[in-house]
Amino acid sequence: MTQSPVGGASGVSRRPIQIGDRAARVLASELARHGGPKTGLLVGAAAGSATLAAAIDALLPDDRLTVVAGSGAGFGAAAALQEHVERQGRWVTDRTRVVETLAEAEPADVVILAEPLSGGADEARAALADLTKLVNAGGVLTVVVPATRLPSGAADEVERQAALYGVGSDLVLRNVPPVRVHRLRHTPAHHAAAHNLLPALRPSSVPLTRGMNIDSNGVAAAGIALGLAALAKAARPKSKLWLVPALAAAPVAAFFRDPQRDVPEDASAVVAASDGKVLGVERMHDKRFGDMEFLRIAVFLSVLDVHVNRAPVAGKVVDYFVEDGGYAAAMKPEAEHNVAAYTLLETAHGPVAVVQRTGLIARRIVQRAPVGSLLAKGERFGLIRFGSRTDVYLPADKATAAVAPGDRVVGGATVIATWL
């Protein structure tokens, strides 16, 4: 009989929690963004499952994928998996290997647990320990837990490990029931690995059309506005007051628009971290980053600009901190002392910093790239709500500016500097 992939006390849920297409794509996102050649290990998949389909879709010609049958799949699960893989054709069969137990699997760059973890903390800890042994140095382990407020030892254990080793976490509401996907990296990755990555799939960005998304913050804000409109209408049916929040819902959602961008493939290109107008291009020192001289390019974002922030270069997040301050208008010199979030990247050209500064209206900075995570060039990593400013710091002796004050730039697409 097929053994449990992670042992008899794995803590892997045996309840019928369905992993839908959206959650499956998120689970396989680390595999899909890796440019290869790479190895993947999918644990707990079933024949015909959305997770298996997403993992197969992520394969490139030089990739290899090992699949272990699910713990609750029963007798003949491995045979059913093998038959399903063979039906996909020779191309998939040549790159996919099916095994009955985890003991038969070899370490991989990306390990995905397709079954949600539940049960006690000790069981989950044992399951994660077994899986971690099969992750190559610098690789990623992706796990999923039910997104419920009910007490769960497994979810608590995963959250604890995510606090220590997490390099990304996504809530997938479009699943029944909703789930949370965590990506863990127990051994450090080299910053050079970021150059081989594509921008990660972000469930926080809700697709509207083929080229336009709305950040989840916008969906929530629009929902609140419509909720207030409904309450106002119910409380005072004859009043037109409900029109105020109702009419505000669309422009509020539009503020959080998140268009798809074509990132330049030129390895020497540094792209804008945000949309907006270039405020300044200057060489300077900043005590926060030591004695180095930096080339700083500051961009002002009006309330009409896209406010999603993107990584200007590929690199590894090695530090993140927030400095307190005021809320002066972002286009004024006083904004130097505003509340700001500093994300420091380690790159092949030296340290690069992206600074998200608040403005007169902006009071909320969102940063979604934990320390230790790898960012591809042009990858979304956060946003600032309403008017604000984004600064990019580059080593002054390694880069030359490609823009000047007054220029308009497009985040993730406009080349603002080039590496020498």
Side-chain angles (χ1 to χ4, degrees), residues 177-249:
V179 295
R180 185 174 293 278
V181 177
H182 293 277
R183 291 178 293 280
L184 311 175
R185 180 178 287 120
H186 291 83
T187 55
H190 194 273
H191 63 78
H195 292 275
N196 202 33
L197 298 178
L198 298 173
L201 171 69
R202 296 292 186 190
S204 58
S205 190
V206 179
L208 291 182
T209 66
R210 189 176 185 86
M212 179 61 69
N213 295 6
I214 294 290
D215 190 87
S216 58
N217 281 262
V219 176
I224 292 172
L226 293 175
L228 291 174
L231 288 174
K233 181 68 174 177
R236 303 183 63 180
K238 296 182 179 180
S239 172
K240 300 295 184 182
L241 184 63
W242 66 274
L243 287 172
V244 176
L247 294 175

Side-chain angles (χ1 to χ4, degrees), residues 396-407:
D397 61 341
K398 301 285 184 65
T400 181
V403 293
D407 290 348

Side-chain angles (χ1 to χ4, degrees), residues 129-192:
D130 287 341
L131 293 169
T132 301
K133 296 173 184 176
L134 290 168
V135 183
N136 285 333
V140 172
L141 168 62
T142 302
V143 297
V144 58
V145 294
T148 174
R149 294 294 182 184
L150 297 176
S152 170
D156 291 343
E157 175 60 24
V158 173
E159 292 284 351
R160 185 189 71 82
Q161 295 209 20
L164 297 172
Y165 311 111
V167 290
S169 176
D170 292 305
L171 175 63
V172 185
L173 294 174
R174 293 167 58 186
N175 195 77
V176 182
V179 295
R180 185 174 293 278
V181 177
H182 293 277
R183 291 178 293 280
L184 311 175
R185 180 178 287 120
H186 291 83
T187 55
H190 194 273
H191 63 78

Side-chain angles (χ1 to χ4, degrees), residues 320-377:
Y320 171 73
F321 58 92
V322 177
E323 285 204 345
D324 200 6
Y327 295 98
M331 77 288 292
K332 294 185 177 181
E334 292 82 0
E336 292 284 339
H337 307 292
N338 282 1
V339 173
Y342 293 76
T343 300
L344 187 62
L345 301 175
E346 182 183 8
T347 77
H349 301 277
V352 171
V354 185
V355 183
Q356 299 166 282
R357 296 190 189 278
T358 60
L360 183 63
I361 302 175
R363 299 296 173 100
R364 175 66 172 168
I365 295 173
V366 178
Q367 204 271 17
R368 296 169 174 146
V371 172
S373 58
L374 298 176
L375 292 176
K377 182 165 64 178

Side-chain angles (χ1 to χ4, degrees), residues 245-268:
L247 294 175
V252 166
F255 171 82
F256 291 97
R257 65 194 183 279
D258 181 12
Q260 300 288 357
R261 295 283 164 77
D262 293 325
V263 182
E265 295 182 2
D266 184 0
S268 66

Side-chain angles (χ1 to χ4, degrees), residues 282-413:
E282 59 182 326
R283 296 170 71 99
M284 61 175 296
H285 291 83
D286 193 313
K287 62 181 181 180
R288 302 173 187 86
F289 311 127
D291 297 329
M292 284 185 60
E293 184 180 26
F294 285 90
L295 171 67
R296 187 179 73 172
I297 301 174
V299 173
F300 168 69
L301 297 79
S302 75
V303 292
L304 300 178
D305 287 313
V306 173
H307 273 58
V308 172
N309 295 131
R310 297 171 180 265
V313 295
K316 177 183 176 180
V317 179
V318 293
D319 198 8
Y320 171 73
F321 58 92
V322 177
E323 285 204 345
D324 200 6
Y327 295 98
M331 77 288 292
K332 294 185 177 181
E334 292 82 0
E336 292 284 339
H337 307 292
N338 282 1
V339 173
Y342 293 76
T343 300
L344 187 62
L345 301 175
E346 182 183 8
T347 77
H349 301 277
V352 171
V354 185
V355 183
Q356 299 166 282
R357 296 190 189 278
T358 60
L360 183 63
I361 302 175
R363 299 296 173 100
R364 175 66 172 168
I365 295 173
V366 178
Q367 204 271 17
R368 296 169 174 146
V371 172
S373 58
L374 298 176
L375 292 176
K377 182 165 64 178
E379 181 171 344
R380 305 173 180 91
F381 74 92
L383 59 89
I384 315 176
R385 295 177 183 173
F386 306 104
S388 52
R389 171 177 146 186
T390 303
D391 300 346
V392 174
Y393 289 73
L394 305 168
D397 61 341
K398 301 285 184 65
T400 181
V403 293
D407 290 348
R408 294 285 306 179
V409 297
V410 176

